[in-house]
Amino acid sequence: MNLAYIPSPSTGVIHLGPIPLRGYAFCIIIGVFVAVWLGNKRWIARGGKPGTVADIAVWAVPFGLVGGRLYHVITDYQLYFGEGRNWVDAFKIWEGGLGIWGAIALGAVGAWIGCRLRGIPLPAWADALAPGIALAQACGRWGNWFNQELYGRATDLPWALEISDGPNRVAGTYHPTFLYESLWCLGVAALVIWADRRFKLGHGRAFALYVAAYCAGRGWIEYMRVDEAHHILGLRLNVWTAIVVFVLAVVYFVLSAKLRPGREEVVEPDRGPAASDPAAKEADAAAGAKDSEPKAGVDAGAETGAETGAETEAKTEAKTEAEAGAEGGSAAESRDAEEPKAAKKL
């Protein structure tokens, strides 16, 4: 008999009148908020704008939830389809069942759409969010505790998890693999934050480090689980998935470091008011009109000055000609006056 163990909740749902409050859902929601909060701080520190992470998360989170559920239903289809099964249960996400592989894959599609709309590079956004995703997983794993699922082999260790009798489970004490993975994800988040500060990771390498580190832990944790799963060559399907994804993440990390060393200098270029704020666009146009008024005045003054200068030059020339004419006339009179005198002398 174990003298120490981790008790499981007697129920995973509390009813507030007709409204059910489910522990599994709360853990997922808390994880999302933590990821967005930390991602926003990291994004601003890298030169991004406040709120951008949340705007893109509006696309990434729904896609991720759908992808996570699809992966779970496809890989564990025997739980929902076949004799004695009700396919409607595949939509009961509150009962548990989200595959992180599908969540990250389809969530990346949603994030790509959001990044395209904002004109920012997806790898930079993924780097900012990477440790936050690990923290979100650490929070979300406690949802398995509420549902008494995803535990490991039987054990009598002091930190064993007590499981009560129920559908598809036998009462006893087991390895709390949900707790192991939660703690591992905390370590992954700390590793990514440290490495990013130490080596200035960029172009998706912080995200690749998160993926590789998570897969390394998920492999041995998955090996301890006893819930029903498909096996390939003696290993659970998720173990093979972790191995393949780990290799891909490491390859990306190495190639990215060689092809695109360093970190992005600009992660979110300023697209100007015309692209996002009509009111700002109108204000900018009005400011431009005001700026053009003095210019018009200067131009008009320049033209007036030019005209005045031309008139002055014309008057000066006329005066000069008149004076020249007057001098010529005086000279002629003088000659006329001297000619009679000369005639008299003769």
Side-chain angles (χ1 to χ4, degrees):
M1 179 178 179
N2 291 344
L3 298 179
Y5 54 83
I6 302 174
S8 293
S10 58
T11 179
V13 58
I14 298 176
H15 287 85
L16 185 63
I19 302 175
L21 304 178
R22 303 183 183 277
Y24 186 87
F26 270 112
C27 292
I28 298 296
I29 293 172
I30 292 173
V32 170
F33 275 103
V34 170
V36 171
W37 169 78
L38 180 58
N40 184 64
K41 292 188 65 175
R42 287 172 51 80
W43 183 253
I44 294 174
R46 293 189 61 175
K49 299 177 183 178
T52 297
V53 169
D55 292 342
I56 298 175
V58 170
W59 288 91
V61 172
F63 274 75
L65 291 174
V66 173
R69 188 60 176 177
L70 283 175
Y71 180 88
H72 169 72
V73 172
I74 293 173
T75 56
D76 290 315
Y77 62 88
Q78 71 279 358
L79 300 177
Y80 307 100
F81 305 98
E83 186 177 357
R85 301 293 183 175
N86 186 0
W87 63 271
V88 177
D89 293 340
F91 297 95
K92 297 179 180 180
I93 192 173
W94 56 87
E95 293 183 354
L98 287 175
I100 186 61
W101 318 111
I104 294 297
L106 204 55
V109 175
W112 176 79
I113 295 174
C115 288
R116 290 276 294 179
L117 294 176
R118 295 296 295 257
I120 64 177
L122 175 61
W125 185 85
D127 282 343
L129 206 67
I133 296 176
L135 291 180
Q137 290 177 250
C139 296
R141 275 307 176 198
W142 284 88
N144 303 132
W145 178 61
F146 281 100
N147 287 352
Q148 296 195 43
E149 59 184 359
L150 304 188
Y151 45 85
R153 296 186 294 269
T155 183
D156 56 357
L157 292 172
W159 57 84
L161 175 66
E162 181 188 36
I163 296 295
S164 61
D165 192 25
N168 301 320
R169 64 176 187 254
V170 178
T173 54
Y174 301 87
H175 277 284
T177 51
F178 85 90
L179 178 60
Y180 298 161
E181 185 169 339
S182 180
L183 295 176
W184 182 267
C185 287
L186 291 178
V188 171
L191 171 65
V192 174
I193 292 174
W194 171 81
D196 194 28
R197 291 178 177 176
R198 175 67 177 81
F199 302 105
K200 303 297 182 183
L201 301 177
H203 302 286
R205 289 189 289 277
F207 185 80
L209 176 61
Y210 144 72
V211 172
Y214 171 75
C215 290
R218 178 63 184 269
W220 69 266
I221 294 172
E222 186 74 23
Y223 186 75
M224 298 177 63
R225 285 168 49 174
V226 295
D227 53 300
E228 186 178 358
H230 296 287
H231 287 73
I232 301 176
L233 299 177
L235 294 178
R236 294 166 64 95
L237 175 61
N238 282 335
V239 175
W240 284 110
T241 305
I243 294 173
V244 172
V245 176
F246 173 84
V247 172
L248 292 176
V250 172
V251 170
Y252 177 88
F253 189 97
V254 174
L255 292 180
S256 176
K258 291 183 178 181
L259 298 176
R260 307 186 69 183
R263 176 185 285 181
E264 300 91 343
E265 294 183 0
V266 178
V267 296
E268 188 171 4
D270 189 1
R271 298 188 302 161
S276 58
D277 191 353
K281 181 179 178 181
E282 294 179 1
D284 186 63
K290 289 183 178 180
D291 292 341
S292 65
E293 290 178 0
K295 183 178 179 181
V298 173
D299 294 342
E303 292 177 359
T304 302
E307 292 177 357
T308 303
E311 292 177 358
T312 303
E313 185 178 356
K315 290 180 180 179
T316 302
E317 292 178 355
K319 181 178 178 180
T320 302
E321 292 177 356
E323 291 177 352
E327 291 178 357
S330 299
E333 291 177 356
S334 298
R335 287 194 300 271
D336 293 343
E338 290 177 356
E339 288 178 356
K341 291 181 179 181
K344 290 178 179 182
K345 288 180 179 181
L346 292 174

